[in-house]
C-alpha cells in the first residue's frame, strides 16, 4: 500500500506541474493576444472613421446630384413655359 500511495502522489505532483504549466501558458497567450487586440481596435477605429467619411462623401455626392437634377428640372420647366408663350 505504501507503494500505491507513493505512485498516487507522483501522479498528483505531475498533474499539478502540468496545471501550473498550462496556467503559465494561458497567461502568455492572454498577453500575446493583448497586442493583437490593440492593433485590431486601432484598425476598427480607422475603419469606423473611414465608414463615416465615406458616408459623408456619399451624402454630399447625392445631395449635389439632387441639386443638379432639381436645377435641370427647373430650367426644363422654364423652357417649356417660354415655348408655350411663344407658340401662343
Amino acid at each position: 500500500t505504501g507503494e500505491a500511495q507513493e505512485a498516487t502522489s507522483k501522479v498528483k505532483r505531475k498533474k499539478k506541474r502540468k496545471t501550473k504549466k498550462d496556467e503559465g501558458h494561458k497567461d502568455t497567450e492572454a498577453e500575446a493576444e493583448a497586442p493583437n487586440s490593440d492593433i485590431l481596435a486601432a484598425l476598427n477605429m480607422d475603419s469606423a472613421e473611414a465608414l463615416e467619411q465615406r458616408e459623408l462623401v456619399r451624402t454630399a455626392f447625392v445631395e449635389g446630384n439632387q441639386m443638379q437634377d432639381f436645377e435641370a428640372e427647373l430650367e426644363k420647366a422654364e423652357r417649356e413655359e417660354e415655348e408655350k408663350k411663344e407658340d401662343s
Side-chain angles (χ1 to χ4, degrees), residues 2 4 6 17-18 23-24 31 44-48 50-53 57-58 61 64 68 82:
E6 195 174 310
R17 281 189 216 145
K18 285 183 181 180
E23 288 174 1
E31 291 171 1
N44 285 338
M45 286 191 327
D46 288 345
S47 64
L51 287 172
E52 184 178 343
Q53 183 65 31
V57 170
R58 187 177 300 121
F61 179 76
Q68 289 173 351
E82 287 176 12

Side-chain angles (χ1 to χ4, degrees), residues 21-60:
K21 285 182 184 178
D22 289 344
E23 288 174 1
H25 185 63
K26 288 177 186 175
D27 290 341
T28 56
E29 282 180 4
E31 291 171 1
E33 288 177 10
N36 290 337
S37 65
D38 291 341
I39 292 170
L40 294 177
L43 290 174
N44 285 338
M45 286 191 327
D46 288 345
S47 64
E49 290 174 6
L51 287 172
E52 184 178 343
Q53 183 65 31
R54 277 190 228 123
E55 186 62 31
L56 290 172
V57 170
R58 187 177 300 121
T59 300

